[in-house]
Amino acid sequence: MEKFGMFVGQKRKLIVFIAIALLIPSVIGIMMVPINYDILAYLPSDVESVEGQHILSHTFESSNQGYLVFENTPEYIIDDKISQIKEVEGVQKVLWIRDMLNMGVPKEMLPKELSEIIYRDDCVLVLINFEGNATDESTQKAIADIRDISGDNSYLSGMGALIKDTIDISNTEKIVYMILAVILTIIVLALTLKSTIIPILFLVSIGFSIVVNLGTNVLLKDVSYVTEAIAAVLQLGVTMDFSIFLYHRYEEERERYPDHIEAMGVAVNKTAVSISGAALTTIAGFLALCAMKLTIGSNIGIVMAKGVFIGVISTLTLTPALILMFDKAIHRFQHPVLMPSFDKLSRFVVKRHVLILILGCLLLIPAIYGASNTKVYYKLDESLPQDLQSIVSLNKMKTTYDMATTHMILLKDNLPDYQIDQMVSQIEAVEGVSKVIAYNKLIGPMVPVEIMPEELSKVFYQGGYEQIIVNSSMAVASDETTKQLEEIRAIIRTYDDGALITGEGALSQDLIEISAIDFKNVNILSIAAVFMIILISFRSLSIPVLLISVIELAVSINMGIPYYTGATIPFIATIVIGTIQLGSTVDYAILLTTRFKEELGEQNNKVEAMTVALKSASRSIMTSGLTFFVTTISVAAISKIDLISSLSGMIGRGALISMITIMLILPSVLLIFEGLIQKTTMKWRRI
């Protein structure tokens, strides 16, 4: 690697030129990456609720449906607006009651069941089907046009409207929090590094790797909006320590070698192994997310693992090239380092290491209890600001039409009418069911499907299926709804063993069940992967156990805080936080342990060895930890989407907690168990 480092130094201008050239296809790739704003789209295709959604989408053409409610609006005005909406590009069809009944027919003449669906209080309901998916550009433009046409006193809800508002918020926010992340990173690096120029060079190098990473996402099917929101700042925070490690080593070697290219070659050689080891643990942590059945995990995992890999390559090529090109400016424009020497901290920790470890063990109890009892939400609309048009409309729809949750039942269309009537009666008797909408109940069995308007009949009969809609007064993702779904499922299966139930309630139920499995699988896999990498790196059986135990304490503290603050976190956080925090911050523990081992090779006194190791490593650990914290916390501070805000905030807080835990508790663990480490580690002490 020393020859490679010198090659990089000699060809530094060529490397910078190649990097600039690679930015062009990367930027084009970024513009071509499809962004998926529907988290439910990442559910496995073989679960019942997703199969039902597939039938609704491809057979009934109603999975992408909008609900337009007019309030205090005369029907002749509604009719005029509907005529305009039908002409909107992207609208497939509009189900408006007055298309089936002449305007002169009073609504009192309608069947009671049908009238209650359309008319409530001073409100009128219109159903709109869109041609494309909820995320398609045509659908998004159609929603904007419909909002303009329908005007005041109207409420448009549905997945497309939710996604429209999510896109608008994301596009507004992401530039702001990226700029804030850069500013805060520069401030942290300016306080912790003596060069004024080096923070800018770090950001240029990491910025290059971020652009390349985001550009290569074009090779994926799509990228979730959560991944897009956090990928750049997360990559910035995770890979910054690679550049810091390299720069600190270069400064040391620069004092020993008059030839700066040779000094860089030595620095690259000495840091390549530690950087690669740290990167492997981080990559392993992210790739563990690919074990999730909820495929948003693999979406985040692949993008971030790829980003770390590209970050390592950039650190070992572009970063050295930039440092050597601007070496004179780096050392010309310098200022005093404001970071403390950590001499007092290291001696305090070492002197009281037994007490600190006892306190750490005591802290574990409330941490685990809090993490086990933290409240989690699964309703995706809860993550959005409640004053958004789509959320206001959704709440209006739910309260006015008693639709806290809607279930869609899909049956064979050849069941006898009397069985359908029996089934509907049984479903209506289930606790929490406010209304059951079936053709027989709505129109009556005496009216043949063939003589009804095609638009209405297609709502209930398509492709060999009959659809029954169940409105529930119970909240999505609640225990009551889960019980209700189980009862309804048991009823419909007695009439049709192939019957399916889908809708927001069923999708959320599957989401809860899959998340519980994913949480266990991902945590076990990430711990096992990191364990093996540390075991191989140190050739030790005890060091992986000790390092992972300390990080897992930090993870438990992080996950337990919401319980004590009364916060409710998004379900995705419970799955990915532990893996991301472990993979991203275990390199701090590896750095301290490696330095401790080096110092033991210089002297036999473990107390003095740890004092020197902690003092030396704390600067890099704190710089990296604070950088990671400020980059992610900038997203949390800006984003109005709670799913993104909570996730970013917990990642940033986790980095801070891990940093503190490693600087205070890990030294105590290594000192107390140093005898065990010596017996279970190959070549631990060299003297």
Side-chain angles (χ1 to χ4, degrees):
M1 286 301 293
E2 185 171 340
K3 290 183 179 179
F4 173 78
M6 294 186 67
F7 172 81
V8 168
Q10 294 165 352
K11 304 294 183 181
R12 53 190 179 275
K13 292 183 179 180
L14 175 63
I15 289 172
V16 172
F17 175 78
I18 293 172
I20 294 172
L22 285 174
L23 289 176
I24 299 172
S26 298
V27 171
I28 295 173
I30 290 173
M31 294 186 292
M32 296 174 62
V33 175
I35 308 300
N36 192 336
Y37 290 85
D38 184 7
I39 299 297
L40 295 176
Y42 293 102
L43 279 166
S45 59
D46 58 349
V47 300
E48 178 187 343
S49 60
V50 176
E51 290 178 11
Q53 285 292 304
H54 182 80
I55 294 170
L56 288 177
S57 176
H58 294 85
T59 303
F60 284 86
E61 299 179 340
S62 63
S63 66
N64 184 19
Q65 196 169 67
Y67 303 89
L68 180 59
V69 175
F70 288 95
E71 185 178 31
N72 295 319
T73 307
E75 285 200 341
Y76 73 90
I77 294 178
I78 296 176
D79 193 61
D80 179 62
K81 292 180 182 292
I82 294 302
S83 298
Q84 297 178 57
I85 290 173
K86 287 178 179 177
E87 300 301 317
V88 170
E89 186 178 352
V91 171
Q92 183 184 64
K93 62 182 177 182
V94 180
L95 193 61
W96 162 228
I97 190 64
R98 289 303 175 181
D99 286 340
M100 304 170 210
L101 295 170
N102 188 280
M103 287 290 290
V105 178
K107 63 183 180 182
E108 288 78 14
M109 295 290 291
L110 291 172
K112 182 181 178 182
E113 292 292 334
L114 181 58
S115 178
E116 287 183 352
I117 294 172
I118 306 299
Y119 299 98
R120 287 288 180 93
D121 300 330
D122 296 320
C123 295
V124 180
L125 174 63
V126 178
L127 301 182
I128 301 173
N129 279 9
F130 297 97
E131 291 177 353
N133 295 322
T135 55
D136 287 354
E137 185 177 345
S138 62
T139 301
Q140 294 301 302
K141 186 177 184 305
I143 289 169
D145 292 341
I146 292 169
R147 283 174 170 172
D148 289 339
I149 293 169
S150 58
D152 297 334
N153 298 326
S154 67
Y155 304 86
L156 178 63
S157 62
M159 183 57 72
L162 281 171
I163 289 174
K164 164 72 174 167
D165 289 339
T166 303
I167 291 173
D168 291 343
I169 293 175
S170 297
N171 290 341
T172 303
E173 292 178 347
K174 60 187 177 184
I175 296 176
V176 178
Y177 56 61
M178 196 62 208
I179 292 173
L180 180 60
V182 169
I183 293 172
L184 292 176
T185 299
I186 291 175
I187 292 173
V188 170
L189 294 178
L191 293 174
T192 56
L193 301 173
K194 61 183 179 180
S195 173
T196 306
I197 303 298
I198 202 68
I200 298 173
L201 299 183
F202 283 177
L203 288 171
V204 169
S205 177
I206 295 173
F208 160 78
S209 66
I210 289 172
V211 172
V212 172
N213 183 36
L214 298 181
T216 53
N217 287 341
V218 74
L219 301 174
L220 304 177
K221 177 185 175 183
D222 57 44
V223 172
S224 79
Y225 78 96
V226 177
T227 306
E228 185 202 33
I230 66 174
V233 293
L234 195 54
Q235 185 177 340
L236 174 61
V238 167
T239 59
M240 179 60 75
D241 51 353
F242 302 159
S243 297
I244 292 170
F245 295 165
L246 175 67
Y247 173 66
H248 283 165
R249 177 61 74 171
Y250 170 67
E251 288 295 290
E252 290 181 21
E253 302 303 330
R254 192 174 180 273
E255 295 179 0
R256 301 175 186 174
Y257 297 91
D259 185 347
H260 296 166
I261 294 178
E262 185 178 1
M264 182 59 77
V266 174
V268 169
N269 179 50
K270 290 186 177 181
T271 55
V273 175
S274 59
I275 289 174
S276 300
L280 277 176
T281 57
T282 306
I283 290 172
F286 284 123
L287 289 181
L289 296 174
C290 295
M292 290 173 59
K293 292 184 68 179
L294 188 66
T295 53
I296 190 175
S298 60
N299 194 268
I300 296 173
I302 291 172
V303 171
M304 290 313 307
K306 177 163 57 72
V308 174
F309 178 73
I310 295 171
V312 171
I313 295 175
S314 179
T315 300
L316 296 177
T317 55
L318 183 58
T319 303
L322 290 172
I323 290 174
L324 288 172
M325 286 181 67
F326 293 93
D327 186 76
K328 290 183 179 179
I330 289 171
H331 293 90
R332 180 181 177 184
F333 299 100
Q334 294 189 343
H335 57 78
V337 176
L338 300 180
M339 184 176 284
S341 66
F342 297 102
D343 183 62
K344 292 182 179 179
L345 174 69
S346 60
R347 295 195 177 279
F348 173 84
V349 171
V350 171
K351 184 177 180 180
R352 293 169 176 79
H353 65 273
V354 175
L355 176 61
I356 290 174
L357 184 57
I358 292 172
L359 293 174
C361 292
L362 292 175
L363 190 60
L364 185 62
I365 299 172
I368 293 177
Y369 180 81
S372 303
N373 291 278
T374 292
K375 293 181 179 179
V376 178
Y377 70 80
Y378 293 85
K379 291 179 64 178
L380 301 180
D381 55 283
E382 287 187 14
S383 70
L384 296 171
Q386 295 303 296
D387 58 352
L388 289 181
Q389 287 188 60
S390 57
I391 299 298
V392 171
S393 299
L394 180 63
N395 292 333
K396 179 70 175 179
M397 181 75 182
K398 289 181 175 181
T399 55
T400 303
Y401 290 88
D402 298 325
M403 294 172 61
T405 308
T406 303
H407 313 311
M408 274 74 79
I409 298 170
L410 297 168
L411 310 153
K412 295 174 185 174
D413 67 356
N414 58 1
L415 290 177
D417 289 341
Y418 77 90
Q419 288 191 356
I420 296 294
D421 291 339
Q422 290 175 357
M423 183 194 306
V424 168
S425 296
Q426 289 179 270
I427 294 173
E428 286 178 327
V430 174
E431 184 179 358
V433 171
S434 57
K435 180 172 285 295
V436 180
I437 306 170
Y439 179 85
N440 280 9
K441 187 174 176 60
L442 193 64
I443 306 299
M446 301 306 292
V447 182
V449 175
E450 292 76 14
I451 70 170
M452 288 300 296
E454 186 180 9
E455 291 83 356
L456 183 59
S457 63
K458 281 186 175 181
V459 173
F460 297 99
Y461 296 97
Q462 287 267 34
Y465 291 97
E466 177 178 355
Q467 178 180 195
I468 296 175
I469 301 170
V470 179
N471 288 343
S472 170
S473 60
M474 294 178 173
V476 172
S478 64
D479 293 338
E480 293 80 10
T481 299
T482 298
K483 182 182 177 183
Q484 185 185 77
L485 284 167
E486 290 173 354
E487 291 183 32
I488 295 174
R489 192 174 286 113
I491 292 170
I492 63 177
R493 293 282 168 81
T494 60
Y495 296 92
D496 179 0
D497 57 8
L500 300 172
I501 184 166
T502 187
E504 187 182 9
L507 286 164
S508 297
Q509 182 187 27
D510 286 331
L511 197 63
I512 293 169
E513 292 175 357
I514 290 169
S515 297
I517 298 170
D518 282 345
F519 176 75
K520 295 177 183 177
N521 291 343
V522 168
N523 278 284
I524 291 171
L525 185 59
S526 62
I527 289 172
V530 172
F531 182 94
M532 290 303 300
I533 292 171
I534 298 175
L535 183 149
I536 294 170
S537 299
F538 284 95
R539 291 178 290 180
S540 171
L541 293 174
S542 57
I543 291 178
V545 175
L546 298 175
L547 267 56
I548 291 175
S549 296
V550 172
I551 300 294
E552 286 301 310
L553 169 61
V555 171
S556 296
I557 294 171
N558 189 23
M559 293 296 295
I561 287 175
Y563 170 75
Y564 295 104
T565 59
T568 303
I569 63 174
F571 74 96
I572 193 69
T574 62
I575 304 172
V576 305
I577 287 296
T579 299
I580 292 176
Q581 188 173 341
L582 172 63
S584 303
T585 62
V586 72
D587 50 335
Y588 306 164
I590 292 173
L591 174 65
L592 178 60
T593 306
T594 302
R595 193 60 187 251
F596 181 45
K597 180 182 178 181
E598 289 180 8
E599 295 303 325
L600 285 173
E602 299 294 329
Q603 53 186 310
N604 200 36
N605 188 320
K606 67 180 183 181
V607 173
E608 285 302 315
M610 178 54 75
T611 303
V612 175
L614 182 58
K615 179 182 177 181
S616 303
S618 289
R619 183 180 172 189
S620 295
I621 292 172
M622 181 165 281
T623 302
S624 301
L626 288 177
T627 303
F628 196 1
F629 172 73
V630 298
T631 54
T632 49
I633 212 69
S634 64
V635 180
I638 297 296
S639 183
K640 295 179 181 178
I641 302 174
D642 187 65
L643 180 61
I644 294 173
S645 177
S646 294
L647 190 59
S648 302
M650 291 184 73
I651 291 172
R653 186 176 65 204
L656 203 62
I657 294 171
S658 288
M659 178 191 79
I660 295 170
T661 304
I662 289 165
M663 292 175 63
L664 297 181
I665 297 177
L666 182 59
S668 305
V669 171
L670 293 176
L671 283 172
I672 291 174
F673 292 98
E674 200 274 333
L676 175 63
I677 294 173
Q678 188 173 351
K679 293 177 181 178
T680 56
T681 305
M682 295 179 63
K683 299 181 180 179
W684 173 248
R685 286 183 181 241
R686 295 183 180 179
I687 60 174

